[in-house]
Amino acid sequence: MNPGPAAVSVEAVVKHFGPIRALDGVSLTVPTGQIYGLLGPNGAGKTTLIRSLVGLIAAETGTVTVLGRRMPDREILAAVGYMPQSPALYADLSVEENVRFFASVHGLDREAGARGATEALELVDLAARRHSVVATLSGGMRQRVSLACAVVHRPRLLLLDEPTVGVDPQLRAELWERFARMSGEGTTIIVSSHVMDEAERCQRLGLVRFGRMLAEGSAADLRRRAGVERLEDAFLALSAGGS
């Protein structure tokens, strides 16, 4: 697939939380239709970076551009899907009610919202639980509802923060197959993870540690650069070189 124009551009972004420098001059460019993985340990800055892309955090210095618009920009959010690390759901509503609510937030009318909810729940294998109250679901199922809420409006850019935590291996593989199809249809996907087998499925990776971008490239590129056979070893080697 030929890379399209940039869906996301981040240039020299810095963000502090008190004395903690959460983002330390991060820059990256993600072409349209690419699956880009942010790989790093907890506390590396992955979530802060994703939250800056959805406009929840404003950079102190540097620029964030999403789908051609400088962030924060509320108007572009209708084209962005965001799945946070901790599901932001209404526990007293049903699965379907949650998904249809997020459809309405993104501007879908009643008919389009119902259709989108059905498609999204089939994607995450929860169609049979559509009437279940979210409070009765397991943590893994809540993750799947959260993902359905993020994709219900067929976003042009999908931001996923640790999307498969608590999801069983079979469904995880099915979700990644779906992500690949979405990418082929032109959806840009940025996913954070610390799971190496998931990172291998991304077309391009950014290794993040201490708020800095240590290295970028495909999994094969990073292994070759580090002179190792496993991506985990490449991350450790490149982290040591960048610390």
Side-chain angles (χ1 to χ4, degrees):
M1 180 184 65
N2 294 324
V8 168
S9 177
V10 176
E11 297 183 8
V13 166
V14 172
K15 177 65 180 178
H16 287 84
F17 294 107
I20 299 173
R21 198 174 179 92
L23 296 177
D24 189 6
V26 171
S27 296
L28 63 88
T29 299
V30 183
T32 297
Q34 187 175 82
I35 301 179
Y36 187 101
L38 294 169
L39 183 63
N42 292 332
K46 306 187 302 296
T47 294
T48 301
L49 180 55
I50 286 179
R51 286 170 63 85
S52 74
L53 296 179
V54 79
L56 294 174
I57 290 176
E60 295 161 15
T61 61
T63 61
V64 176
T65 305
V66 172
L67 302 176
R69 306 288 285 269
R70 178 83 171 264
M71 296 301 285
D73 185 333
R74 291 181 179 274
E75 293 183 11
I76 202 63
L77 295 182
V80 178
Y82 171 49
M83 178 184 173
Q85 194 169 31
S86 299
L89 303 170
Y90 293 95
D92 56 340
L93 298 181
S94 72
V95 168
E96 183 175 18
E97 287 170 337
N98 268 276
V99 180
R100 292 184 66 166
F101 168 76
F102 280 93
S104 68
V105 168
H106 288 291
L108 274 63
D109 61 28
R110 187 179 184 87
E111 181 179 349
R115 184 168 59 251
T118 295
E119 294 174 356
L121 291 175
E122 288 175 351
L123 166 67
V124 300
D125 195 28
L126 279 179
R129 298 297 300 272
R130 64 191 314 141
H131 300 304
S132 297
V133 175
V134 165
T136 67
L137 301 180
S138 67
M141 285 188 175
R142 294 187 191 193
Q143 283 287 104
R144 288 150 63 182
V145 178
S146 185
L147 178 56
C149 292
V151 302
V152 65
H153 59 304
R154 295 187 176 183
R156 292 165 55 196
L157 172 66
L158 181 59
L159 305 173
L160 305 172
D161 195 358
E162 303 281 359
T164 60
V165 172
V167 173
D168 67 78
Q170 180 177 347
L171 180 58
R172 179 184 299 168
E174 292 172 358
L175 290 175
W176 274 96
E177 289 175 3
R178 178 56 181 163
F179 296 158
R181 290 198 297 272
M182 293 172 69
S183 171
E185 294 166 358
T187 301
T188 306
I189 301 175
I190 299 179
V191 54
S192 75
S193 181
H194 58 267
V195 181
M196 296 298 161
D197 68 331
E198 291 193 347
E200 293 276 1
R201 297 174 181 266
C202 298
Q203 295 158 334
R204 188 171 177 82
L205 292 168
L207 303 188
V208 184
R209 190 181 185 200
F210 301 133
R212 299 193 298 271
M213 186 69 70
L214 301 181
E216 285 187 284
S218 68
D221 291 337
L222 296 174
R223 288 194 300 268
R224 186 163 47 248
R225 176 174 169 180
V228 297
E229 296 183 356
R230 298 193 311 159
L231 184 58
E232 182 175 6
D233 293 333
F235 180 80
L236 292 173
L238 293 170
S239 294
S243 60

